[in-house]
């Protein structure tokens, strides 16, 4: 990780304070003063702030059941941020892994481990995201083939990756996708002449939503590891 991040994760410094401290020559890596905040350091490097050896806090992995009318942002905007529901410190260090729209409910993962979230969001890793979708019109069984083949979304040069559509009732489906373009699910149904009236994310990879709306919990180590395989 970058030296400034290492310092932030080991102290109460903000990013700006960490950079100032590095530029002031207060931080050394393996006994050598380092002035470069972007210098890459590893867990086994000895990083010191003046005379104090720094140890970064462990990464955090959080599951939240997002309520409607909240936004996946670190700060409140038109709607309150989902972080109002997560009672942990230093939320500015955390980010959301695959954001949901304000009116979408369901499973949200939150972490400060960028490599881990990359495994979940990058389409080539083929991590499944399952959405329960309410539709304005009944959907025909034949649509499952179109979703499997890929859909042409407005403004995109490539078809969507193969998706699985399970029809629960004519106006309710489970959709499994491995990518997360902006408003992807809504745009997929719009591409076939339908409209999403309710959207809820039930599952990411092997992790299912097992807590009430507005509640959060830390992931178990098995859940965390399931995305590192
Ligand atoms: N796709 C959407 O259109 N909205 C979401 O919130 C998530 C996926």
């Amino acid at each position: 990780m970058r030296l400034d991040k290492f310092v932030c994760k080991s102290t109460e410094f903000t990013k700006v304070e960490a950079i100032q401290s590095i530029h002031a020559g207060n931080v050394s890596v393996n006994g050598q003063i380092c002035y470069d905040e972007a210098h890459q350091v590893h867990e086994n490097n000895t990083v010191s702030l003046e005379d104090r050896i720094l140890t970064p806090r462990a990464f955090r992995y959080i599951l939240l059941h997002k309520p409607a009318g909240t936004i996946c942002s670190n700060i409140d905007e038109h709607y309150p941020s989902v972080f109002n529901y997560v009672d942990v410190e230093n939320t500015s260090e955390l980010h959301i892994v695959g954001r949901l729209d304000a009116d979408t409910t369901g499973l949200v993962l939150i972490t400060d481990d960028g490599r881990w979230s990359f495994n979940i969001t990058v389409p080539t890793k083929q991590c499944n995201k399952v959405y329960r979708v309410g539709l304005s019109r009944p959907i025909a069984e034949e649509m499952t083939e179109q979703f499997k083949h890929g859909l042409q979304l407005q403004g995109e040069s490539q078809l969507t990756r193969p998706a699985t559509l399970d029809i629960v009732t004519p106006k309710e489906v489970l959709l499994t996708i491995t990518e997360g373009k902006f408003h992807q699910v809504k745009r997929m149904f719009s591409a076939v002449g339908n409209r999403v009236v309710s959207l809820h994310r039930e599952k990411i990879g092997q992790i299912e939503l097992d807590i009430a709306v507005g509640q959060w919990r830390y992931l178990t180590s098995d859940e965390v590891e399931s995305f590192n395989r």
Side-chain angles (χ1 to χ4, degrees):
M1 93 179 70
R2 283 168 56 112
L3 182 58
D4 51 3
K5 189 164 184 192
F6 192 104
V7 172
C8 285
K9 279 188 71 64
S10 328
T11 64
E12 295 307 313
F13 284 178
T14 62
K15 189 171 179 187
V16 171
E17 288 166 344
I19 293 171
Q20 281 169 348
S21 190
I22 293 164
H23 289 177
N26 295 337
V27 177
S28 55
V29 179
N30 299 332
Q32 297 269 331
I33 292 179
C34 181
Y35 295 95
D36 177 11
E37 70 271 23
H39 182 77
Q40 286 294 321
V41 283
H42 306 282
E43 304 275 320
N44 55 355
N45 291 143
T46 304
V47 179
S48 317
L49 175 66
E50 294 172 334
D51 289 337
R52 178 158 71 98
I53 292 181
L54 299 181
T55 314
R57 289 184 284 280
F59 285 126
R60 293 178 286 174
Y61 304 93
I62 289 166
L63 163 64
L64 168 71
H65 188 159
K66 178 188 177 295
T70 58
I71 46 163
C72 285
S73 158
N74 287 61
I75 51 165
D76 295 342
E77 291 174 45
H78 291 305
Y79 294 96
S81 155
V82 290
F83 282 98
N84 290 294
Y85 291 85
V86 183
D87 185 19
V88 297
E89 294 192 338
N90 301 321
T91 55
S92 63
E93 290 177 4
L94 296 166
H95 63 266
I96 289 150
V97 187
R99 298 192 292 168
L100 296 178
D101 299 334
D103 56 352
T104 304
T105 57
L107 196 163
V108 168
L109 297 176
I110 298 172
T111 187
D112 47 4
D113 183 350
R115 192 171 293 225
W116 185 79
S117 44
F118 178 79
N119 285 343
I120 298 171
T121 51
V122 70
T124 50
K125 295 273 183 183
Q126 303 206 357
C127 172
N128 285 337
K129 290 95 187 172
V130 182
Y131 292 87
R132 187 171 290 270
V133 190
L135 297 167
S136 65
R137 295 158 197 252
I139 192 151
E141 194 70 48
E142 302 83 75
M143 281 294 167
T144 53
E145 271 311 306
Q146 286 195 38
F147 277 73
K148 194 166 155 196
H149 174 256
L151 300 171
Q152 184 63 59
L153 302 188
Q154 236 179 9
E156 302 288 343
S157 55
Q158 289 183 331
L159 295 183
T160 52
R161 288 179 170 250
T164 308
L165 192 63
D166 292 308
I167 301 182
V168 182
T169 70
K171 286 190 178 182
E172 187 180 302
V173 298
L174 288 174
L175 175 68
T176 305
I177 56 175
T178 55
E179 54 192 346
K181 294 190 169 76
F182 183 61
H183 293 326
Q184 170 137 359
V185 176
K186 291 172 184 165
R187 288 163 72 206
M188 286 174 89
F189 285 96
S190 158
V192 295
N194 214 319
R195 188 167 59 83
V196 170
V197 293
S198 66
L199 187 55
H200 177 79
R201 188 159 62 198
E202 291 198 343
K203 194 170 174 188
I204 298 182
Q206 295 308 311
I207 301 182
E208 295 192 57
L209 204 49
D210 55 2
I211 48 178
V213 64
Q215 301 292 304
W216 70 278
R217 67 169 174 86
Y218 287 110
L219 296 187
T220 64
S221 48
D222 280 352
E223 287 172 331
V224 173
E225 275 312 306
S226 69
F227 296 111
N228 287 332
R229 288 178 195 134

